[in-house]
C-alpha cells in the first residue's frame, strides 16, 4: 500500500530536560506541551541519599549538569531546562545563575532552571508576596524561603510534609490541604507549590477557583519558561500563568462577604455569575472538592494505603500537621 500521500511526520521543536534520578512525573510535564513540541529527558546519576539539602547539592553539581546537557545535544534541543526546584535554589540566587551558565557553556544552548523559571513566573503575574507549599523537610523549605527572599519575594505562609522520598505518591488531596493551610495567614499575591516530583497539573485550576489567586507549580513554571524561550506557549486548563483570561477570572477576584447595596434612586447593577469554562474531562470546574471526591477520606483523616513516613501533628524538621504562617 502506497502511503506516500501522508507525507512525513509533523515537524517538532525540541526541549531538553535534565531531571533528578528519582523524577517520576514525565507524563505530567508532557501535559503542558503543545503537539508540535517534543520533550527529550535525561536523568542525573543515582546517589543513595534521601531527599534533603545534601541530595539537592549532589544532583545539581556543575559537572553533573554539563554531562546531562551534553547527552541531550545529540537530539539538538532548542532550549534545556534543569527540572528540579530544590537543586536549583539550594545554592541561593548566585548558585542558580552559575548553574544556568554551566549548562549554557556545556551545550551552547539557552538554558534555565526551575527556580529561575519560578522567579520569571512571579514577575509575569506581578506577585511579590507568596504562600509556599512543599513536600520537603523544614530545612529544605527554609532554603526555598531564603532563595525567594534574595529575590525580594516575601513568604506570607507555608505548609510542608516533611517527606524524604517517594514524593510522587502524594495525592492531590494532600496538596489541597497544604494549600489551604499556607494561605490562611496574610493574604498572598499567589501560591507556589514546590518540587517537580509533586503532582499538581489537575489541581491548579481548582485551587485558583477556590483560593481566588494565581497558583504556580514547579513543573508548570519549568515548562512555561522553556516553551516561551522558543516562542511557544504552554497549554493547560484555565491557569492564570498560561491564560490572561484566567487572570481576570477567579484568580483575580477578591472574595466579598456581602454585595454592595445600591441607592434607591439608582438601579442595582446586575450580578454576573461566574461560569467556569470547559476543561479536560479529568477536571471538574464547579466545586473544587468535586475533583478530589475520589481521593479518599475527608481532610484531616489518615490516608488509606498511603504511608506519610512521619507522625501526624509534628511541626518540626519532618513536617506533619499545619505549619504556622511565616
Amino acid at each position: 500500500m502506497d502511503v506516500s500521500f501522508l507525507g512525513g511526520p509533523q515537524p517538532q521543536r525540541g526541549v531538553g530536560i535534565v531531571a533528578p534520578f528519582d523524577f517520576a512525573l514525565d507524563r505530567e510535564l508532557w501535559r503542558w506541551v503543545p503537539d508540535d513540541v517534543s520533550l527529550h529527558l535525561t536523568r542525573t546519576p543515582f546517589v543513595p541519599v534521601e531527599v534533603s539539602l545534601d541530595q539537592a547539592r549532589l544532583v545539581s553539581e556543575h559537572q553533573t549538569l554539563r554531562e546531562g546537557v551534553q547527552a541531550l545535544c545529540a537530539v539538538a534541543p532548542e532550549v534545556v531546562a534543569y527540572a528540579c526546584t530544590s537543586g536549583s535554589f539550594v545554592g541561593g540566587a548566585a548558585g542558580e545563575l552559575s548553574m544556568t551558565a554551566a549548562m549554557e557553556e556545556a551545550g551552547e544552548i539557552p538554558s534555565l532552571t526551575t527556580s529561575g523559571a519560578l522567579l520569571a513566573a512571579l514577575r509575569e503575574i506581578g506577585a511579590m508576596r507568596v504562600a509556599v507549599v512543599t513536600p520537603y523537610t523544614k530545612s529544605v523549605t527554609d532554603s526555598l524561603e531564603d532563595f525567594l527572599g534574595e529575590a525580594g519575594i516575601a513568604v506570607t505562609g507555608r505548609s510542608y510534609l516533611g517527606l524524604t522520598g517517594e514524593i510522587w505518591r502524594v495525592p492531590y488531596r494532600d496538596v489541597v490541604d497544604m494549600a489551604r493551610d499556607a494561605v490562611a495567614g496574610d493574604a498572598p499575591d499567589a501560591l507556589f507549590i514546590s518540587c517537580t516530583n509533586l503532582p499538581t497539573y489537575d489541581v491548579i485550576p481548582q485551587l485558583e477557583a477556590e483560593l481566588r489567586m494565581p497558583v504556580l507549580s514547579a513543573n508548570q513554571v519549568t515548562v512555561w519558561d522553556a516553551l516561551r524561550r522558543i516562542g511557544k506557549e504552554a497549554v493547560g486548563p484555565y491557569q492564570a500563568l498560561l491564560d490572561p483570561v484566567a487572570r481576570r477570572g477567579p484568580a483575580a477576584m477578591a472574595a466579598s462577604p456581602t454585595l454592595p447595596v445600591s441607592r434607591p434612586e439608582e438601579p442595582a447593577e446586575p450580578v454576573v455569575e461566574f461560569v467556569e469554562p470547559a476543561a479536560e474531562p479529568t477536571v471538574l470546574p464547579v466545586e473544587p472538592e468535586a475533583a478530589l471526591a475520589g481521593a479518599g477520606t475527608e481532610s484531616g483523616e489518615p490516608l488509606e494505603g498511603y504511608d506519610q513516613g512521619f507522625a501526624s501533628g509534628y511541626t518540626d524538621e519532618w513536617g506533619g500537621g499545619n505549619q504556622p504562617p511565616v
Side-chain angles (χ1 to χ4, degrees):
M1 178 180 177
D2 182 10
V3 294
S4 60
F5 69 93
L6 294 175
Q10 183 181 11
Q12 293 285 296
R13 311 283 296 276
V15 172
I17 303 289
V18 178
F21 66 90
D22 63 342
F23 180 70
L25 299 181
D26 304 54
R27 181 70 188 102
E28 175 158 292
L29 290 181
W30 277 95
R31 298 179 74 183
W32 275 290
V33 177
D35 291 341
D36 62 344
V37 174
S38 286
L39 297 181
H40 309 299
L41 276 80
T42 189
R43 282 169 168 74
T44 63
F46 170 78
V47 290
V49 179
E50 62 187 12
V51 177
S52 61
L53 290 174
D54 287 339
Q55 188 204 60
R57 295 186 183 99
L58 287 171
V59 297
S60 61
E61 292 179 342
H62 287 190
Q63 185 57 33
T64 296
L65 297 178
R66 291 190 188 99
E67 292 173 356
V69 172
Q70 289 167 354
L72 290 168
C73 285
V75 292
E78 297 179 52
V79 64
V80 175
Y82 176 55
C84 180
T85 326
S86 61
S88 53
F89 68 60
V90 68
E96 192 277 330
L97 290 175
S98 66
M99 291 170 60
T100 302
M103 294 168 65
E104 291 184 341
E105 180 184 1
E108 298 183 351
I109 303 170
S111 302
L112 61 111
T113 72
T114 296
S115 295
L118 167 61
L119 298 183
L122 291 172
R123 289 192 296 268
E124 174 72 14
I125 63 174
M128 297 297 295
R129 293 162 46 82
V130 300
V132 170
V133 164
T134 88
Y136 313 132
T137 59
K138 180 180 182 298
S139 59
V140 182
T141 305
D142 288 344
S143 184
L144 170 58
E145 185 171 346
D146 292 342
F147 174 80
L148 291 171
E150 284 189 71
I153 306 298
V155 174
T156 62
R158 67 186 195 177
S159 185
Y160 59 90
L161 283 175
L163 297 182
T164 58
E166 298 192 344
I167 290 170
W168 68 87
R169 299 187 186 279
V170 175
Y172 279 149
R173 187 191 53 197
D174 276 20
V175 176
V176 170
D177 288 344
M178 285 194 295
R180 290 169 177 159
D181 290 344
V183 302
D186 294 339
D189 300 325
L191 171 73
F192 173 57
I193 305 172
S194 189
C195 190
T196 54
N197 233 358
L198 188 65
T200 57
Y201 183 90
D202 293 305
V203 81
I204 291 174
Q206 301 300 331
L207 279 175
E208 289 192 341
E210 176 182 339
L211 304 179
R212 297 178 179 269
M213 68 181 64
V215 175
L216 307 177
S217 79
N219 283 332
Q220 178 205 46
V221 299
T222 303
V223 178
W224 167 80
D225 197 17
L227 289 173
R228 77 187 187 113
R229 299 290 187 95
I230 62 172
K232 301 295 294 183
E233 295 183 356
V235 296
Y238 206 67
Q239 299 168 37
L241 178 62
L242 315 184
D243 185 358
V245 174
R247 297 181 203 178
R248 298 191 296 269
M253 294 164 54
S256 176
T258 59
L259 292 174
V261 178
S262 301
R263 290 180 294 177
E265 65 274 16
E266 295 179 353
E269 294 185 2
V271 177
V272 180
E273 180 180 357
F274 175 78
V275 179
E276 293 265 6
E280 290 186 2
T282 55
V283 180
L284 299 180
V286 179
E287 291 292 337
E289 289 293 328
L292 311 170
T297 57
E298 290 297 323
S299 171
E301 297 180 6
L303 298 178
E304 181 178 352
Y306 173 63
D307 181 10
Q308 293 178 318
F310 55 85
S312 178
Y314 274 42
T315 57
D316 61 2
E317 166 73 1
W318 309 108
N322 300 343
Q323 304 304 319
V326 176

